[in-house]
Amino acid sequence: MASWCCVPSRALVAMMVFWGTFVNYMFRSHYSISLLAMMQARKVNETLGDFGPRYNWTYEWEQRTISAMFYGLSALSLPSGMISEMLGPWQVLMWSSIVMAVSSCLIVPAAPIGPFWVFVLRFVVGLMLALQYPALQCLIGRWAPPSEKGRFSACLMGNAFGSMLTMPVTSMIIEKFGWNWSFYSLSFVVALFCTGLILFVADYPRDYRWIAKDELQYIEKSQGKQVSREKVTPPYRAMFASVPFIALIIAQFGNLYGLTMSLTATPQFLKRVLNFNLKGSAFIAALPQLSRLICGFIFGYINDLLLRSGVKKQTCRKGFTILSHIATGLCLCCFLFIGQSSDMAIILLVAMLGFNGAAAETTLINPQDLSPNFAGTIHGIMNFFAGWGGFIGPMLIEKLTRDNTMDQWAIVFTIGGLIYIVSGIVFMCFGSADLQPWNDKSKSSLPPPVAV
């Protein structure tokens, strides 16, 4: 059998990349909704539904359990790329998905014991999540012909679809069956994802049993010598001496800080400041993610048109940074000027992540530009540093939003906006879309490049 119903094998891998980011962000985004159904009221006029037992954790512990996942993300991000490159992305995706599904199910019996054990289990989930994006970058680097990497990287926007769908679906599950099933239901999705991995994915095109010969020849010929099966230690010295690589780390910090805030803080903001109910908070919180998904594919189409018309890749990467970072940051800074308007707050949140959809053409694809051989390692390192925002953000929210007023939250959003803007400017000045010399595995010990 040469293919599945005449669908190219690389298209199936691209589908699984999309599904992989969907699952990854499903685990990131569902907890902020579930937590609202698990906690006692924080305000006198806050209405609560009967969705299962509620716990009187302190506000500090509530935010710590949110941060726990990001501690795990940071703890394993540095070696995650090398793990994927050495063990192979298939093994990493399969076992990490199973472990984080089991860990999430165990939160249900752990919650009555105390928030510390929920913290531990969310930390384990974070460890597994840290392994997945570098593994997906490995798959893209090994399967995507250079002319199709933009479309492959657009599949990383499955994260927006995952967040968008998870928030309202989680709220419906909670209202129908109780908050405990919001954790159990994750396992069913993981089971389907793992089945897809077994059927449609292999570490390299040559290892896939059902790939057509002409497709295999096309992929390998188009990649030339850019991709090697040789297993070597990543050229860390050359990477950290590379100015474009450092600029990418800074840009990804700004990008991930804002995304983390949108996933973890927006449901709290909608419920505790704008006074939406649980279902309303979840559905409104999903709108920015829908905006990011739609705009991400629109920007991807525009990017391909520009490249085909002769616009330089470097120009596209830095031009789209104006949208993914600068415009996104300005939307967040506008919270200082909207007063108590809930309508304007929602419009700004939707616009913010709509502009950020351009990240698929900037920070998400840039590891493939710099080094397809070490794209997994690059992604792991940049997410190690970018993941710090995941626990810095909730700590800031805890300190700055004790009274949950609009003015307090405006400060939180403005800080995120300034981080976006500064990191975007750095990437526009010092980033690059050129293949770096340290991509060559046979020359990984040579002195590192420093040119922008």
Side-chain angles (χ1 to χ4, degrees):
M1 186 160 132
S3 63
W4 289 83
C5 300
C6 300
V7 178
S9 298
R10 65 188 186 279
L12 296 174
V13 172
M15 176 193 73
M16 291 305 298
V17 169
F18 183 91
W19 198 356
T21 57
F22 173 94
V23 171
N24 189 282
Y25 267 72
M26 178 182 71
F27 276 86
R28 296 189 191 211
S29 58
H30 89 99
Y31 183 71
S32 59
I33 299 296
S34 301
L35 188 64
L36 294 173
M38 297 166 63
M39 294 295 100
Q40 296 286 358
R42 294 290 178 199
K43 297 173 68 174
V44 175
N45 61 345
E46 188 175 353
T47 56
L48 300 176
D50 184 13
F51 308 126
R54 289 184 178 269
Y55 307 107
N56 192 26
W57 300 347
T58 64
Y59 193 47
E60 290 80 2
W61 266 110
E62 180 183 324
Q63 297 301 317
R64 284 173 193 161
T65 62
I66 293 175
S67 301
M69 181 188 72
F70 300 100
Y71 283 107
L73 276 166
S74 292
L76 204 55
S77 285
L78 269 182
S80 61
M82 186 172 67
I83 291 171
S84 294
E85 287 156 7
M86 293 296 183
L87 297 181
W90 190 93
Q91 293 275 4
V92 170
L93 289 169
M94 175 67 72
W95 292 109
S96 63
S97 298
I98 292 172
V99 171
M100 66 189 189
V102 172
S103 299
S104 289
C105 288
L106 290 175
I107 288 177
V108 176
I113 301 173
F116 172 78
W117 295 108
V118 175
F119 178 95
V120 170
L121 290 167
R122 288 290 292 172
F123 178 81
V124 173
V125 170
L127 291 175
M128 298 301 102
L129 291 174
L131 293 168
Q132 294 194 331
Y133 260 81
L136 294 170
Q137 287 281 358
C138 282
L139 278 180
I140 293 173
R142 295 173 180 185
W143 276 85
S147 62
E148 298 178 10
K149 281 191 175 177
R151 276 168 277 181
F152 265 79
S153 293
C155 291
L156 294 171
M157 294 303 293
N159 57 16
F161 187 60
S163 301
M164 177 200 75
L165 196 62
T166 298
M167 289 182 176
V169 170
T170 298
S171 73
M172 289 189 289
I173 290 173
I174 290 172
E175 293 198 344
K176 184 73 174 178
F177 303 106
W179 62 257
N180 56 336
W181 276 98
S182 70
F183 293 95
Y184 296 146
S185 60
L186 301 175
S187 300
F188 297 108
V189 182
V190 167
L192 291 174
F193 175 67
C194 291
T195 302
L197 286 176
I198 293 169
L199 294 176
F200 305 132
V201 176
D203 287 340
Y204 287 95
R206 186 166 288 276
D207 297 337
Y208 187 53
R209 74 187 81 175
W210 292 310
I211 190 170
K213 289 184 179 179
D214 56 345
E215 182 180 9
L216 176 61
Q217 291 172 353
Y218 168 69
I219 294 173
E220 293 185 339
K221 183 178 178 180
S222 64
Q223 290 178 339
K225 296 183 179 180
Q226 289 186 11
V227 178
S228 170
R229 294 186 67 135
E230 183 183 359
K231 295 182 178 181
V232 300
T233 302
Y236 292 114
R237 286 183 60 193
M239 287 181 179
F240 281 102
S242 172
V243 174
F245 176 66
I246 300 300
L248 174 59
I249 289 175
I250 294 171
Q252 180 65 354
F253 176 86
N255 183 53
L256 204 55
Y257 183 92
L259 286 179
T260 298
M261 184 171 62
S262 72
L263 288 177
T264 60
T266 300
Q268 298 180 59
F269 171 73
L270 293 171
K271 188 173 190 297
R272 291 170 176 166
V273 180
L274 303 186
N275 295 317
F276 285 91
N277 59 27
L278 181 67
K279 183 182 288 187
S281 297
F283 274 91
I284 298 298
L287 288 179
Q289 302 298 333
L290 175 61
S291 172
R292 186 171 187 259
L293 177 67
I294 294 172
C295 291
F297 280 103
I298 292 174
F299 293 143
Y301 178 73
I302 295 172
N303 178 71
D304 287 345
L305 285 179
L306 292 173
L307 291 175
R308 284 199 296 268
S309 66
V311 178
K312 291 183 178 180
K313 184 165 60 174
Q314 178 116 323
T315 303
C316 289
R317 297 287 181 265
K318 296 189 177 183
F320 278 105
T321 304
I322 297 173
L323 298 173
S324 67
H325 285 68
I326 309 300
T328 300
L330 290 174
C331 286
L332 289 174
C333 290
C334 286
F335 271 86
L336 283 174
F337 310 105
I338 65 172
Q340 304 299 313
S341 173
S342 59
D343 291 338
M344 280 304 303
I346 294 169
I347 289 171
L348 287 174
L349 289 172
V350 171
M352 162 216 164
L353 281 193
F355 286 128
N356 186 251
E361 317 310 322
T362 57
T363 55
L364 291 180
I365 197 174
N366 198 229
Q368 301 291 334
D369 297 330
L370 301 182
S371 174
N373 272 327
F374 299 108
T377 294
I378 293 173
H379 202 96
I381 294 172
M382 74 183 196
N383 272 6
F384 168 75
F385 293 102
W388 293 356
F391 47 83
I392 293 173
M395 286 192 293
L396 280 176
I397 292 171
E398 176 206 328
K399 300 298 181 185
L400 298 177
T401 62
R402 295 275 179 172
D403 301 322
N404 278 305
T405 66
M406 181 71 86
D407 290 340
Q408 290 175 339
W409 278 89
I411 296 172
V412 170
F413 288 127
T414 301
I415 291 172
L418 292 174
I419 291 173
Y420 260 124
I421 292 169
V422 172
S423 63
I425 291 173
V426 170
F427 185 75
M428 292 173 69
C429 292
F430 301 107
S432 174
D434 296 331
L435 185 71
Q436 299 298 292
W438 39 266
N439 176 65
D440 188 346
K441 289 185 176 181
S442 65
K443 300 178 180 179
S444 61
S445 61
L446 291 179
V450 294
V452 177

